[in-house]
Amino acid sequence: MRDGQSALVLFSGGQDSATCLAWALAHYRRVETVGFEYGQRHAVELECRQRLREETRQRFPQWAARLGDDHLLDLRALGQLSETAMTRDMAIDTDAKGLPNTFVPGRNLVFFTYAAALGWRRGIRHLVAGVCETDYSGYPDCRDDTVKAMQVALNLGMDERFVLHTPLMWLDKAATWVLAEQLGGDALVELIVEHSHTCYLGERGQRHDWGYGCGHCPACVLRAEGWRRYRIGQ
Ligand code: ZN
């Protein structure tokens, strides 16, 4: 595995991973995507993944030839053992330490491990994930130290040289919109607003200026606030 020209994007269909897909397409000759079915309460994100890929291909001809295969991995055992608001029908809440019950323990660790195993098979050593610890929900597996430790563990455990890229790690949500604009102009911003999905409740009924969602869950609040600050900064 010595391919420095290819990248594998952990692609959920949300704003962050859609921005990471564009980042990878701008930096690598061949880009594949991987998504995970882990028993999410709402399948809407998984539907958005395909639409985002199709729209990206259509609206950005310079990237179309670079966008390769999509992989959807079955990780439903993770949902079966997790008692969280992402995988059970329960109200969103936070615990005494301030950790939301939308946190699925081990999720990103498992995702990175499966992505690396897939990268191994596909000959891809650059893995790209939209995790961020600047303007986030406090998930410990989104932290820079976690990702760096994961990179070390994967490279020791597989005797390889994977590089885990996290282009959004030090960006807040407003700066993530700025990055999208830098990568693909207003067309990419519009594509992400329209076709990416962030809402924890899986709502896509109401269209806000920042996209679709219930407008009240923590993910919608974060996205709406980021969009507001992005528009003010323009
Ligand atoms: Zn919501």
Side-chain angles (χ1 to χ4, degrees):
M1 191 198 299
R2 293 288 176 265
D3 183 2
Q5 305 291 325
S6 303
L8 177 64
V9 180
L10 283 75
F11 187 59
S12 71
Q15 177 194 345
D16 292 344
S17 69
T19 307
C20 283
L21 176 60
W23 181 89
L25 289 166
H27 288 87
Y28 293 91
R29 284 199 189 152
R30 179 137 190 102
V31 176
E32 299 189 4
T33 52
V34 58
F36 303 98
E37 161 72 77
Y38 63 95
Q40 301 91 317
R41 271 166 68 183
H42 309 288
V44 59
E45 262 199 3
L46 297 178
E47 291 162 20
C48 287
R49 298 177 72 249
Q50 294 308 326
R51 207 158 305 125
L52 278 163
R53 281 175 49 92
E54 283 162 24
E55 292 287 331
T56 300
R57 208 177 249 135
Q58 283 176 18
R59 296 198 209 179
F60 298 93
Q62 73 274 31
W63 290 343
R66 297 181 169 197
L67 184 54
D69 289 352
D70 179 50
H71 312 268
L72 188 62
L73 303 185
D74 182 354
L75 296 183
R76 275 175 288 187
L78 186 63
Q80 286 164 13
L81 59 84
S82 302
E83 285 280 348
T84 75
M86 295 298 272
T87 52
R88 295 278 193 280
D89 188 9
M90 60 167 76
I92 295 171
D93 205 354
T94 51
D95 70 10
K97 290 193 292 185
L99 189 63
N101 65 351
T102 48
F103 172 63
V104 181
R107 182 176 59 177
N108 284 346
L109 307 181
V110 172
F111 285 4
F112 277 122
T113 304
Y114 273 79
L118 177 62
W120 170 286
R121 195 188 80 202
R122 304 289 293 169
I124 303 174
R125 68 187 188 91
H126 293 280
L127 310 179
V128 185
V131 292
C132 160
E133 73 162 88
T134 306
D135 195 2
Y136 75 140
S137 305
Y139 298 167
D141 59 354
C142 291
R143 292 182 298 196
D144 193 47
D145 285 353
T146 304
V147 177
K148 286 188 162 71
M150 204 63 211
Q151 177 174 302
V152 172
L154 291 171
N155 285 327
L156 287 173
M158 299 193 196
D159 194 20
E160 254 306 336
R161 193 69 192 94
F162 288 104
V163 185
L164 273 49
H165 299 270
T166 54
L168 313 183
M169 184 58 75
W170 306 112
L171 303 183
D172 63 19
K173 292 293 174 202
T176 299
W177 287 116
V178 172
L179 176 62
E181 188 186 319
Q182 288 166 349
L183 290 166
D186 289 341
L188 182 62
V189 172
E190 284 163 22
L191 187 156
I192 293 174
V193 166
E194 190 65 28
H195 297 291
S196 73
H197 184 83
T198 305
C199 177
Y200 283 151
L201 302 183
E203 294 265 346
R204 281 192 78 74
Q206 196 181 348
R207 170 67 154 80
H208 311 266
D209 53 353
W210 45 265
Y212 296 90
C214 73
H216 305 294
C217 76
C220 281
V221 169
L222 205 56
R223 177 161 165 160
E225 176 60 14
W227 176 260
R228 190 187 65 78
R229 283 187 286 114
Y230 163 61
R231 299 297 289 180
I232 290 170
Q234 274 189 328

